[in-house]
Amino acid sequence: MKTLYAPGRIGALEIKNRMVMAPMVDGFGIGGVPSERSLEYFRVRAAGGIGLIVVGNVHVDPEHRHLKPEFHLYEDSFTEKLKPLTEVIHKEGARVFAQLIHQGRYARSSEYEGRVQAVAPSAVFTGMTRETPRELTREEILKLEDNFAQAAGRALKAGFDGVELCANSGYLFGQFLSPLTNKREDSYGGDLESRTLFLTETIRKVKKAVGDKMPVTVRMGGNDFVSGSNTNADACQIACLLEKAGADAISVTGGWHESRVPQVTMDLPHGVFGYLGKNIKQQVKIPVMMGNRMDIFAAERLIEQGDADFAVFGRPILADPEFPRKAAQGRYDAIRPCIGCNQGCLDHSMSGKAIACLGNAECGREYELKDREGLLPTQVRTENPKKLLVIGAGAAGMEFARVAAMQGHKVTIWEKEETYGGQLRLACAPPAREDFKYLADYLYKACVRLGVKFCFNRQASAGELLRQLGEGEADKLVIATGACPAAPPIPSEAGMVTVQAWDVLAGRAETGKEIVVVGGGAVGIETAILMGEEGTLTPKALRFLMLYRAEDPDTLYSLLNRGSKKVTVVEMQDKAGRDIGKTTRWIMLDRLKKLGIPVHTGFIVTEIKKDRVIIQRGKERLELPADTVVLAAGSKPDDSLYEPLREKSSQVFIVGDAKTPGKVMDAIRSAYDLAASIGR
Ligand code: SF4
């Protein structure tokens, strides 16, 4: 039986297992070359046991010199500068490919030296950049093909084991492939074979430049998921043309950045796009690599079933660089999950920031965090173990405990609820947000493995905690009590059922049939979706009705979106969901729309009557009939334990939302940093 952990081959190159790190924008390079930060970031990932690392975004076009801090191979001077990168990766036993890219119409002119206009097969406007690119001439196309070939030659000299051509997600090759963006009437436009010509000619030139010395692969969309663009059937045909042109493997992912089918968010089931690669694999003899919202279980299935030859992981290796080794050893519980939140990775890179990871506070900081011996705080054993008492088993409390326990401290957590997770339990309550639970489970199991003692249903008082310190039961106290929901001072008439969104999410509060949610931030929107989905078709019912074609697709679609409650959201700011990252916000707002949940933005709730809510925007006044009001008006730190203690002892610390309410990522990072500072 094929397994993910057995060696695989691409062309003549042997790779120690079937796990591949996807090309990603990280923002750690400086001036097109790897920084110390890049080197350590990749070294740590290579050391985690991955078979192949594809280094993303290596630019090839000297006419379009990217200002972003990614890697360049558009001229010879970069060859030597990229060598340290391939060396560190090889030293840790992994193979490394360079992904050669031209962004075409996906680049803004401001991203290029000298503000050069972006180029594309045809001058088709894109909402991604709000610019219209210039159409490439035939001579320029041939020149670009040469640029790719020359860059591949430099990659070989820099020590890369292979090159991958980026034809996925709607970048330049993808723009040539699509009838939506390729309107050319010369030999590079027209039918599918002609639209593939730029790519097939490039493959041939690249192969000529590198000979048999290294494999040449192509990453492509298995379906563009854009109406009128290439489907999976088209992708299968394209893959055959690429194989004929000499490609050594096809790496398949999902659709374009412009797709209205979510590609990267938490609501995608793990491995959902596996069928795209499976269909392509049935058409070609060369290896197929499959990625996109991959987790280890989906990857194992894919390889064992023979639906792909390699599994490509992007964000999972940000969340846990050691997951390949842990999985190979069967230590699945020890893998820190990527929860598809995008908070630290894609949302950062889309706003021009270096990437991070919500769950992994070390991601991208490996160089900054390591000590003189090259060890991270989690790898250093203390010579002076302390007894640490943590109050609160939410994300911050458990992350603090995990890191401190790894250092050898003796940690106990008191939690007033009957279980762990804190606000992570609320975050995972709305539909398609359950991955937050996996993070809570990971932290809990990691703590238990490390010997952290959990005391549930354990209330703490300031006096008792001081006694713990005074009697030497604890050397330090860490207050990680989280936040509590804010209650806005809205004049209210008796008779209206008014509850907190947190209580709805926790299943502690009943709501009626006509609900007004006060607050259109993440919590308000997620709670509105949770309530709006009540009464819609369940996944099991959908499967049954589809399987027997009991209803037509339009009826099923309508049943998926028609709940039994009437929900309305009121937000005082001019936009709802301001605290939700760019990659996820549009999906949440789209879900509200599909569920028929109106959002009144720019309105203030002026009064709650017994049967309606009065809202006002300037002179505009609306009355919203309601039987329940759900408050989602932000949170405030729960520092009631910390305040009486901090004056009395220097051994009391506060962390996470209890200090400053923020995102889960902030809580985890502050907890990691506090534990790291307690350190030795
Ligand atoms: Fe995954 Fe979220 Fe980390 Fe990105 S930030 S790698 S989506 S857990």
Side-chain angles (χ1 to χ4, degrees), residues 345-394:
C345 51
L346 284 159
D347 286 334
H348 272 203
S349 67
M350 284 184 78
S351 54
K353 291 200 277 187
I355 59 166
C357 174
L358 170 139
N360 177 9
E362 290 170 352
C363 178
R365 301 201 298 161
E366 295 85 357
Y367 180 68
E368 167 200 330
L369 288 169
K370 68 179 185 176
D371 65 13
R372 266 179 297 195
E373 282 89 50
L375 298 172
L376 291 165
T378 42
Q379 296 168 325
V380 177
R381 294 291 291 182
T382 180
E383 287 156 14
N384 187 14
K386 300 266 188 319
K387 283 184 269 182
L388 307 175
L389 178 56
V390 180
I391 311 302

Coordinates of all heavy atoms in Angstrom, one line a residue, residues 345-394:
C345 N -1.6 34.3 8.9 CA -0.9 34.0 7.6 C -1.5 34.9 6.5 O -1.0 36.0 6.2 CB -0.9 32.6 7.3 SG -2.6 31.8 7.4
L346 N -2.6 34.5 5.9 CA -3.1 35.1 4.7 C -3.5 36.6 5.0 O -3.3 37.5 4.2 CB -4.2 34.3 4.1 CG -3.7 33.1 3.3 CD1 -4.7 32.1 3.2 CD2 -3.1 33.5 2.0
D347 N -4.2 36.8 6.1 CA -4.6 38.1 6.4 C -3.4 39.1 6.6 O -3.5 40.2 6.2 CB -5.5 38.2 7.7 CG -6.9 37.6 7.4 OD1 -7.3 37.7 6.2 OD2 -7.5 37.1 8.3
H348 N -2.3 38.6 7.1 CA -1.1 39.4 7.2 C -0.5 39.6 5.8 O -0.2 40.8 5.5 CB -0.1 38.7 8.1 CG -0.2 39.0 9.5 ND1 0.8 38.9 10.4 CD2 -1.3 39.4 10.3 CE1 0.4 39.3 11.6 NE2 -0.8 39.6 11.6
S349 N -0.4 38.5 5.1 CA 0.3 38.7 3.8 C -0.5 39.6 2.8 O 0.0 40.4 2.1 CB 0.7 37.4 3.1 OG -0.4 36.7 2.8
M350 N -1.9 39.5 3.0 CA -2.7 40.4 2.1 C -2.6 41.8 2.5 O -3.0 42.7 1.7 CB -4.2 39.9 2.1 CG -4.3 38.6 1.3 SD -6.0 38.1 1.2 CE -6.7 39.2 0.0
S351 N -2.2 42.1 3.7 CA -2.1 43.5 4.1 C -0.6 43.9 4.1 O -0.2 44.9 4.7 CB -2.8 43.8 5.4 OG -2.3 42.9 6.4
G352 N 0.2 43.1 3.4 CA 1.6 43.5 3.2 C 2.5 43.2 4.4 O 3.6 43.7 4.5
K353 N 2.0 42.5 5.4 CA 2.8 42.2 6.6 C 3.4 40.8 6.5 O 2.9 39.9 5.9 CB 1.9 42.3 7.9 CG 1.4 43.6 8.2 CD 0.9 43.7 9.7 CE -0.4 43.2 9.8 NZ -1.0 43.4 11.1
A354 N 4.5 40.6 7.3 CA 5.1 39.3 7.4 C 4.1 38.4 8.0 O 3.4 38.8 8.9 CB 6.4 39.4 8.1
I355 N 4.2 37.1 7.7 CA 3.2 36.1 8.2 C 3.5 35.7 9.6 O 4.7 35.8 10.1 CB 3.1 34.9 7.3 CG1 4.4 34.2 7.2 CG2 2.5 35.3 6.0 CD1 4.3 32.8 6.6
A356 N 2.5 35.2 10.3 CA 2.6 34.7 11.6 C 1.6 33.5 11.7 O 1.0 33.2 10.6 CB 2.3 35.7 12.7
C357 N 1.4 33.0 12.8 CA 0.3 31.9 13.0 C -0.4 32.1 14.3 O 0.2 32.3 15.3 CB 0.9 30.5 12.9 SG -0.3 29.3 13.2
L358 N -1.7 32.0 14.2 CA -2.5 32.2 15.4 C -2.1 31.2 16.5 O -1.9 31.6 17.7 CB -4.0 32.0 15.0 CG -5.0 31.9 16.2 CD1 -6.3 32.6 15.9 CD2 -5.3 30.4 16.5
G359 N -1.9 30.0 16.1 CA -1.7 29.0 17.2 C -0.2 28.8 17.5 O 0.1 28.3 18.6
N360 N 0.7 29.2 16.6 CA 2.1 28.9 16.8 C 2.8 30.3 16.9 O 3.1 31.0 16.0 CB 2.6 28.2 15.6 CG 4.1 28.0 15.7 OD1 4.8 28.2 16.7 ND2 4.7 27.5 14.6
A361 N 3.1 30.6 18.2 CA 3.7 32.0 18.5 C 5.1 32.0 18.0 O 5.7 33.1 18.0 CB 3.6 32.3 19.9
E362 N 5.7 30.9 17.6 CA 7.1 30.9 17.1 C 7.2 31.1 15.6 O 8.2 31.5 15.1 CB 7.7 29.5 17.4 CG 8.0 29.3 18.9 CD 8.4 27.9 19.3 OE1 8.4 27.0 18.4 OE2 8.7 27.7 20.4
C363 N 6.1 31.0 14.9 CA 6.1 31.0 13.4 C 6.6 32.4 13.0 O 6.0 33.4 13.3 CB 4.7 30.8 12.9 SG 4.7 30.9 11.1
G364 N 7.7 32.4 12.2 CA 8.2 33.6 11.7 C 9.1 34.3 12.7 O 9.8 35.3 12.4
R365 N 9.2 33.8 13.9 CA 10.0 34.5 15.0 C 11.1 33.5 15.4 O 11.8 33.7 16.4 CB 9.2 34.9 16.2 CG 8.0 35.8 15.8 CD 7.5 36.6 17.0 NE 7.0 35.7 18.1 CZ 6.9 36.0 19.3 NH1 7.2 37.2 19.8 NH2 6.4 35.1 20.2
E366 N 11.3 32.5 14.6 CA 12.3 31.4 15.0 C 13.7 32.0 15.3 O 14.4 31.7 16.2 CB 12.4 30.3 14.0 CG 11.1 29.5 13.8 CD 10.1 30.1 12.8 OE1 10.4 31.2 12.3 OE2 9.1 29.5 12.6
Y367 N 14.1 32.9 14.4 CA 15.4 33.6 14.5 C 15.5 34.5 15.7 O 16.4 34.4 16.5 CB 15.7 34.3 13.2 CG 17.1 35.0 13.2 CD1 18.2 34.2 13.2 CD2 17.2 36.4 13.3 CE1 19.5 34.8 13.2 CE2 18.4 37.0 13.3 CZ 19.6 36.2 13.3 OH 20.8 36.8 13.3
E368 N 14.4 35.3 15.8 CA 14.4 36.3 16.9 C 14.3 35.6 18.3 O 14.9 36.1 19.3 CB 13.1 37.1 16.7 CG 12.6 38.0 17.8 CD 11.1 38.3 17.5 OE1 10.7 38.4 16.4 OE2 10.4 38.6 18.5
L369 N 13.6 34.4 18.4 CA 13.4 33.8 19.7 C 14.6 32.9 20.2 O 14.7 32.6 21.3 CB 12.1 33.0 19.7 CG 10.8 33.7 19.6 CD1 9.7 32.8 19.3 CD2 10.5 34.5 20.9
K370 N 15.4 32.5 19.2 CA 16.4 31.5 19.6 C 17.5 32.1 20.4 O 17.8 33.3 20.2 CB 16.9 30.7 18.4 CG 17.7 31.4 17.5 CD 18.2 30.5 16.3 CE 19.1 31.2 15.4 NZ 19.7 30.4 14.4
D371 N 18.1 31.3 21.3 CA 19.1 31.8 22.2 C 20.5 31.6 21.5 O 20.6 31.1 20.4 CB 19.1 31.2 23.6 CG 19.3 29.7 23.6 OD1 19.8 29.2 22.5 OD2 19.1 29.1 24.6
R372 N 21.6 31.9 22.3 CA 22.9 31.7 21.7 C 23.3 30.3 21.3 O 24.0 30.1 20.4 CB 24.0 32.2 22.7 CG 24.3 33.7 22.4 CD 25.3 34.2 23.4 NE 24.7 34.1 24.7 CZ 25.2 34.8 25.8 NH1 26.3 35.4 25.7 NH2 24.6 34.7 27.0
E373 N 22.6 29.4 21.9 CA 22.8 28.0 21.5 C 21.9 27.5 20.4 O 21.9 26.4 19.9 CB 22.6 27.0 22.7 CG 23.8 26.9 23.6 CD 23.6 28.0 24.7 OE1 22.5 28.0 25.4 OE2 24.6 28.7 25.0
G374 N 21.1 28.5 19.9 CA 20.2 28.2 18.8 C 18.9 27.5 19.3 O 18.2 26.9 18.5
L375 N 18.6 27.6 20.6 CA 17.4 26.9 21.1 C 16.3 27.9 21.3 O 16.5 29.0 21.7 CB 17.7 26.2 22.4 CG 18.8 25.1 22.3 CD1 19.2 24.7 23.7 CD2 18.3 24.0 21.5
L376 N 15.1 27.4 21.0 CA 13.9 28.2 21.2 C 13.5 28.1 22.7 O 13.9 27.1 23.4 CB 12.7 27.7 20.4 CG 12.9 27.9 18.9 CD1 11.9 27.0 18.1 CD2 12.7 29.4 18.6
P377 N 12.7 29.0 23.2 CA 12.3 28.9 24.7 C 11.7 27.6 25.0 O 11.8 27.1 26.1 CB 11.3 30.1 24.8 CG 11.7 31.1 23.8 CD 12.2 30.3 22.6
T378 N 11.0 27.0 24.1 CA 10.3 25.7 24.3 C 11.3 24.5 24.3 O 11.0 23.4 24.6 CB 9.2 25.4 23.3 OG1 9.7 25.8 22.0 CG2 8.0 26.2 23.6
Q379 N 12.6 24.8 24.0 CA 13.6 23.8 23.9 C 14.6 23.9 25.1 O 15.5 23.1 25.2 CB 14.3 23.8 22.6 CG 13.4 23.5 21.4 CD 14.1 23.9 20.1 OE1 14.9 24.8 20.0 NE2 13.8 23.1 19.0
V380 N 14.4 24.9 25.9 CA 15.3 25.1 27.0 C 14.7 24.6 28.3 O 13.6 25.0 28.7 CB 15.6 26.6 27.1 CG1 16.6 26.9 28.3 CG2 16.2 27.2 25.9
R381 N 15.5 23.7 29.0 CA 15.0 23.2 30.3 C 15.5 24.1 31.4 O 16.7 24.5 31.4 CB 15.6 21.8 30.6 CG 15.0 20.7 29.7 CD 13.6 20.4 29.9 NE 13.2 19.8 31.2 CZ 12.0 19.4 31.5 NH1 11.0 19.7 30.7 NH2 11.8 18.8 32.7
T382 N 14.7 24.6 32.3 CA 15.1 25.4 33.3 C 16.0 24.7 34.4 O 15.8 23.5 34.6 CB 13.9 26.1 34.0 OG1 14.4 26.9 35.1 CG2 13.0 25.0 34.7
E383 N 16.9 25.4 35.0 CA 17.7 24.9 36.1 C 17.0 25.2 37.4 O 17.5 24.8 38.5 CB 19.1 25.4 36.0 CG 19.9 24.8 34.9 CD 21.0 25.7 34.5 OE1 21.4 26.7 35.2 OE2 21.6 25.5 33.4
N384 N 16.0 26.0 37.3 CA 15.3 26.5 38.5 C 13.8 26.3 38.4 O 13.1 27.3 38.3 CB 15.8 28.0 38.7 CG 15.3 28.6 39.9 OD1 15.0 27.9 40.9 ND2 15.4 29.9 40.0
P385 N 13.3 25.1 38.5 CA 11.9 24.9 38.3 C 11.0 25.6 39.3 O 11.4 25.6 40.5 CB 11.7 23.4 38.4 CG 13.0 22.8 38.5 CD 14.0 23.9 38.8
K386 N 9.9 26.2 38.9 CA 9.1 26.9 39.8 C 7.7 26.2 39.8 O 7.3 25.5 38.9 CB 8.9 28.3 39.2 CG 10.1 29.2 39.1 CD 10.3 30.0 40.3 CE 11.4 31.0 40.3 NZ 12.6 30.6 39.6
K387 N 7.0 26.6 40.9 CA 5.6 26.1 40.9 C 4.7 27.3 40.4 O 4.7 28.4 41.0 CB 5.2 25.8 42.4 CG 5.8 24.4 42.8 CD 5.3 24.1 44.2 CE 6.3 24.6 45.2 NZ 6.1 24.3 46.6
L388 N 4.0 27.0 39.3 CA 3.3 28.1 38.7 C 1.8 27.8 38.8 O 1.4 26.7 38.4 CB 3.7 28.3 37.2 CG 5.2 28.5 37.0 CD1 5.5 28.5 35.5 CD2 5.7 29.8 37.6
L389 N 1.0 28.7 39.3 CA -0.4 28.5 39.4 C -1.1 29.4 38.4 O -1.0 30.7 38.4 CB -1.0 28.8 40.8 CG -2.5 28.7 41.0 CD1 -3.0 27.3 40.6 CD2 -2.8 29.0 42.5
V390 N -1.8 28.9 37.4 CA -2.5 29.6 36.3 C -4.0 29.6 36.6 O -4.6 28.6 36.9 CB -2.2 29.0 35.0 CG1 -2.9 29.8 33.9 CG2 -0.7 28.9 34.7
I391 N -4.6 30.8 36.5 CA -6.1 30.9 36.8 C -6.7 31.1 35.4 O -6.6 32.1 34.8 CB -6.4 32.0 37.7 CG1 -5.6 32.0 39.0 CG2 -7.9 32.0 38.1 CD1 -5.6 30.7 39.8
G392 N -7.4 30.0 34.9 CA -8.1 30.1 33.6 C -7.5 29.1 32.6 O -6.3 29.2 32.3
A393 N -8.4 28.3 32.1 CA -7.9 27.3 31.1 C -8.4 27.6 29.7 O -8.8 26.8 28.9 CB -8.4 25.9 31.5
G394 N -8.3 28.9 29.4 CA -8.6 29.3 28.0 C -7.3 29.2 27.2 O -6.3 28.6 27.6

